[in-house]
Amino acid sequence: MAVDATTGEAAEGKPLGAALPDDLAAELRPRYAAALDGAESAYELEYDGRTYEVRIVPVRDESGEVFAALGTSQDVTKHREYERRLEESERRYRTLIEHFPNGAVALFDEDLRYQIAGGKLLDGIDATADAIVGQTVWERYPEDLAERMAEKFREALDGAAQSFEIEFHGRHLQAYTLPIEDEAGNTFAGMIMVQDVTERKKYERRLEESNERLEQFAYAASHDLQEPLRMVSSYLRLIEQRYADELDEDGREFLEFAVDGADRMREMIEGLLEYSRVETRGDPFEPVDLDDVLADVRDDLQVKIAESDAEITTDPLPEVRGDRGQLRQVLQNLLDNAIEYSGDEPPRIDVEAERDGRLWAISVSDEGIGIDPDDADRVFEVFQRLHSHEEHEGTGIGLALCRRIVERHGGEIEIDSEPGDGTIITFTLPPAGDDRA
């Protein structure tokens, strides 16, 4: 006990009042007196800003008679402070858990056993915190779900945060697991947060059904439009083949305009059909290596790259979760645009990737002609063109298609540009291990 060198040898042979400060001596004197009468005492003593565990016991001779009293003390200040912080942390966790809206929160230990649980969601799945606490995942869930939960819990205890969806008690739940660390950065427990997304899923299903009906309508409309369009194109080409020599220069020019217009109409109908099918005809999401996708895109564009003398530099790109075919379409559209709108100089294009929260942000930048910032939203609308067909080819649907694909993947796409100062288009995608999209 830190009392200015009055313990140990410095205190030997001295009365209690002379060996210790007055206030401390006054605190201990009745306890030593009680020990001399045969009573033991153990308690915590707060002194000089420190906490001590003190024990005072009688010392007996061979006949059992008390002839002295022995006092021991141990400084437990750090231990008590740690316990206080732990209690405060647990109190905060309990407050969070008990008031967690539209969901539930729980802490689990290395045995995958729940230590704390609560939240409004428990009422919806016919459960109570008392029933959950103390259960392992094996005791709590059916075998197939327990296997999956155990895997996610172990990953959290290994330091990895995860998100995933589960079905339980007729509810569709979005779950997040994450590690809980001490001050030294060591994981000592895990947390799971669950939100009920059943109503959102019902809405999404209704939206999918609506999109499917829209796709069916778009398909039927495009098919019905394509048939007469094919007939018009066929007869225009037949006229060109049979009567071109009989037409004057104006007539041949008019015929050329008509054929070109029919071809562009066909491209627009095909583009609209592709746009309408993004949600309903896409492939299931899977891990996609964007480096491989970009290599395929460069192969597809190799003729255009060579003819324009384009230079494309790229960072190492991440593995994301998505539809490989659709992501290939996004990168191809963006690179194709960067080449098309490069201006008079050879295209210089840079593809980069960086983490943006839980998502990856992919950017395609060029040094081309750029656009007015006031047109930044317009370029993502269907059939919205900033240039005439004579200036630049295209249907006006490419960037609209990119936005629809990116949104299907749970991301966003935006453009940063100034006239004559190039363009940066950035879109976000979920990492390969994220199944929330």
Side-chain angles (χ1 to χ4, degrees), residues 15 57 61 76 115 205 244 256 276 304 390 417:
V57 298
D61 59 21
V76 294
Q115 299 297 317
R205 279 194 290 271
E256 184 179 339
S276 70
K304 192 166 187 175
E390 288 73 22
S417 184

Side-chain angles (χ1 to χ4, degrees), residues 228-238 258-259 262-263 266:
L229 185 61
R230 273 194 288 266
M231 184 178 68
V232 170
S233 298
S234 296
Y235 277 102
L236 286 172
R237 288 189 171 86
L238 192 60
V259 171
D263 288 342
R266 175 182 51 79

Side-chain angles (χ1 to χ4, degrees), residues 46-78:
E46 299 285 340
Y47 185 76
D48 197 23
R50 312 293 295 177
T51 302
Y52 300 91
E53 280 189 351
V54 178
R55 187 166 182 239
I56 301 175
V57 298
V59 180
R60 302 176 186 274
D61 59 21
E62 293 180 354
S63 64
E65 293 294 323
V66 176
F67 69 91
L70 175 65
T72 60
S73 66
Q74 181 179 4
D75 189 336
V76 294
T77 306
K78 290 184 177 179

Side-chain angles (χ1 to χ4, degrees), residues 5 31 48 61 82 108 119 156 189-190 228 250 261 278 334 342 375 394 416 428:
R31 298 183 182 272
D48 197 23
D61 59 21
Y82 173 78
F108 54 88
D250 284 345
V278 166
L334 296 182
S342 61
D375 294 322
D416 181 13
T428 53

Side-chain angles (χ1 to χ4, degrees), residues 208-226 269 272-277 280-281:
E208 287 172 1
E209 292 170 357
S210 175
N211 284 336
E212 188 173 350
R213 290 192 294 270
L214 175 63
E215 182 206 341
Q216 292 169 352
F217 169 78
Y219 179 80
S222 64
H223 182 271
D224 292 344
L225 286 171
Q226 282 176 333
I269 291 172
L272 181 60
L273 183 59
E274 187 176 9
Y275 179 85
S276 70
R277 287 178 165 179
T280 56
R281 293 295 179 94

Side-chain angles (χ1 to χ4, degrees), residues 137-274:
V137 293
W138 310 105
E139 297 166 334
R140 178 68 189 153
Y141 306 110
E143 184 176 353
D144 56 343
L145 181 55
E147 289 279 359
R148 190 174 181 210
M149 298 292 283
E151 177 186 356
K152 299 298 185 182
F153 280 22
R154 291 190 185 102
E155 289 174 354
L157 293 170
D158 287 338
Q162 297 287 339
S163 66
F164 54 100
E165 294 181 0
I166 59 174
E167 294 275 354
F168 189 58
H169 277 277
R171 311 299 292 175
H172 199 102
L173 308 177
Q174 179 72 56
Y176 309 88
T177 51
L178 62 153
I180 303 298
E181 299 178 344
D182 59 21
E183 292 180 347
N186 300 314
T187 300
F188 67 90
M191 174 184 284
I192 179 170
M193 296 182 290
V194 180
Q195 287 189 301
D196 188 344
V197 294
T198 305
E199 294 305 316
R200 190 190 79 188
K201 287 297 179 180
K202 289 180 180 177
Y203 172 77
E204 289 175 353
R205 279 194 290 271
R206 290 194 297 269
L207 186 60
E208 287 172 1
E209 292 170 357
S210 175
N211 284 336
E212 188 173 350
R213 290 192 294 270
L214 175 63
E215 182 206 341
Q216 292 169 352
F217 169 78
Y219 179 80
S222 64
H223 182 271
D224 292 344
L225 286 171
Q226 282 176 333
E227 284 303 316
L229 185 61
R230 273 194 288 266
M231 184 178 68
V232 170
S233 298
S234 296
Y235 277 102
L236 286 172
R237 288 189 171 86
L238 192 60
I239 292 171
E240 186 178 33
Q241 293 169 7
R242 291 188 180 182
Y243 305 106
D245 293 340
E246 300 179 24
L247 297 174
D248 60 14
E249 185 176 347
D250 284 345
R252 286 192 293 273
E253 184 179 19
F254 295 158
L255 183 60
E256 184 179 339
F257 287 157
V259 171
D260 182 62
D263 288 342
R264 281 191 284 127
M265 178 64 75
R266 175 182 51 79
E267 291 175 356
M268 292 173 70
I269 291 172
E270 291 174 350
L272 181 60
L273 183 59
E274 187 176 9

